[in-house]
Amino acid sequence: MPTIRFNLKHDILCTIMSWRAMRESGYRIMFTGLFSLAIAFIIYSRLSGTSAGAPVQASQLTNLAYAVLGITAASLAAAMYGAYTIFRAEQARTAGGSSLTSFITGAFSDRKYWRIMAIAAIGYGIFFAFLSQILVYRPDVSFSERGIAVPSTDLIPCCGAPGYMPMFTAYFTDHFLLLVIPVNVILATVVSVMVGFNVALSVYAYRLRQALQGRTSIVGGIGAATGLFVGCPTCAGSLISAVLGLGAIGAGASTSALAPFQTVFIAASLPALALAPLLLARSIRSISMCGVK
């Protein structure tokens, strides 16, 4: 009997040490990515700014600009992987618990919800890229007629606020281009992942309600659809544009008019997207408790 108790305590201790080590590793990776990103933006802004004491040569600035774009991609990937590692650690820590976090992490024990999250994030990311002018399709404009070679790329290394430069453009066809502004791409990635996460969690809650309470009522279906719509922070604006009769040209004009405020609008949606999983977790816990009864 003492041997069994010792082995049990040993296994529990190993489990605790395992998720703690995973969580600490995740925090290190995530903060390294975020710190690298911030430092790269600040240093580049100082070197490329007009107030710099010793101007950087054009060729050197171009090479530095491409390096910053590469660092941005690598740092963003590292931060995302760190967040994923932290989530997996929390999944191990809260397994079988009754906290809100356990209901959030428990939903992703099934791999199909990771797939739902990926599909929703990619789909929303493409939609968001067109809406925020990362991907631009202009059938009314011919790039070749404006003297732009197609296909081709262009780099604007200077000058702007940290995170807005360098600006990279790739002309794929005579009417379609990719515009990379670091801050916009970072926000698009973060928001898309959060939307995908909320959509997957909403689908889990909807399926759990179906499994435990049988056929879902019309009211329940409307509630689930509303939950999915809340996870889309730019859908409301698109709907308003459609209601007002703004077509592709109108949408382009409205985007240009709102461009200076775009970052603020998207950043303001992040708290709502961060709060949504907690509200969904409360719903999931309520459904689970009703199912147990």
Side-chain angles (χ1 to χ4, degrees):
M1 185 66 69
T3 303
I4 296 175
R5 289 181 179 176
F6 174 79
N7 291 335
L8 182 59
K9 290 181 179 179
H10 180 267
D11 292 341
I12 293 173
L13 182 60
C14 288
T15 301
I16 294 173
M17 292 178 64
S18 177
W19 67 256
R20 281 184 176 174
M22 186 184 299
R23 185 174 63 179
E24 290 173 1
S25 175
Y27 277 121
R28 283 196 300 269
I29 295 171
M30 185 175 68
F31 286 132
T32 299
L34 295 176
F35 181 76
S36 301
L37 200 60
I39 291 298
F41 286 166
I42 292 171
I43 292 176
Y44 183 81
S45 179
R46 291 180 63 86
L47 292 176
S48 63
T50 55
S51 61
V56 180
Q57 297 295 326
S59 60
Q60 296 176 337
L61 189 59
T62 299
N63 294 333
L64 183 61
Y66 280 115
V68 168
L69 291 175
I71 291 172
T72 299
S75 299
L76 184 59
M80 289 293 181
Y81 180 74
Y84 169 76
T85 304
I86 294 170
F87 182 86
R88 293 300 300 269
E90 289 300 307
Q91 198 173 39
R93 183 182 70 86
T94 60
S98 58
S99 64
L100 290 180
T101 304
S102 66
F103 284 97
I104 294 174
T105 59
F108 290 87
S109 298
D110 190 336
R111 287 184 175 273
K112 69 182 177 183
Y113 292 104
W114 286 108
R115 291 193 291 269
I116 292 173
M117 174 181 169
I119 293 170
I122 293 171
Y124 179 82
I126 295 172
F127 164 75
F128 179 80
F130 278 103
L131 196 65
S132 63
Q133 303 292 289
I134 294 174
L135 294 173
V136 181
Y137 178 68
R138 294 293 303 273
D140 57 323
V141 176
S142 173
F143 300 136
S144 57
E145 290 180 359
R146 297 190 175 189
I148 300 173
V150 178
S152 66
T153 60
D154 184 33
L155 181 71
I156 302 176
C158 177
C159 298
Y164 287 89
M165 288 293 171
M167 187 184 301
F168 176 80
T169 308
Y171 298 91
F172 296 117
T173 69
D174 202 28
H175 304 286
F176 181 62
L177 63 86
L178 168 70
L179 176 62
V180 175
I181 299 174
V183 165
N184 284 358
V185 172
I186 291 169
L187 284 175
T189 303
V190 172
V191 171
S192 297
V193 169
M194 294 178 73
V195 167
F197 185 85
N198 281 305
V199 168
L201 204 57
S202 297
V203 171
Y204 174 80
Y206 177 74
R207 289 181 174 177
L208 183 64
R209 182 184 295 275
Q210 279 189 319
L212 296 180
Q213 298 182 3
R215 188 174 180 178
T216 304
S217 64
I218 296 177
V219 175
I222 294 174
T226 304
L228 292 175
F229 189 77
V230 169
C232 175
T234 55
C235 292
S238 301
L239 181 60
I240 293 172
S241 297
V243 170
L244 294 177
L246 298 176
I249 298 176
S254 62
T255 300
S256 299
L258 296 175
F261 308 100
Q262 178 179 309
T263 302
V264 176
F265 290 158
I266 300 304
S269 69
L270 294 178
L273 288 171
L275 181 62
L278 297 177
L279 300 178
L280 286 168
R282 291 183 62 183
S283 176
I284 292 170
R285 182 166 64 180
S286 177
I287 295 170
S288 300
M289 295 303 178
C290 290
V292 171
K293 293 178 181 180

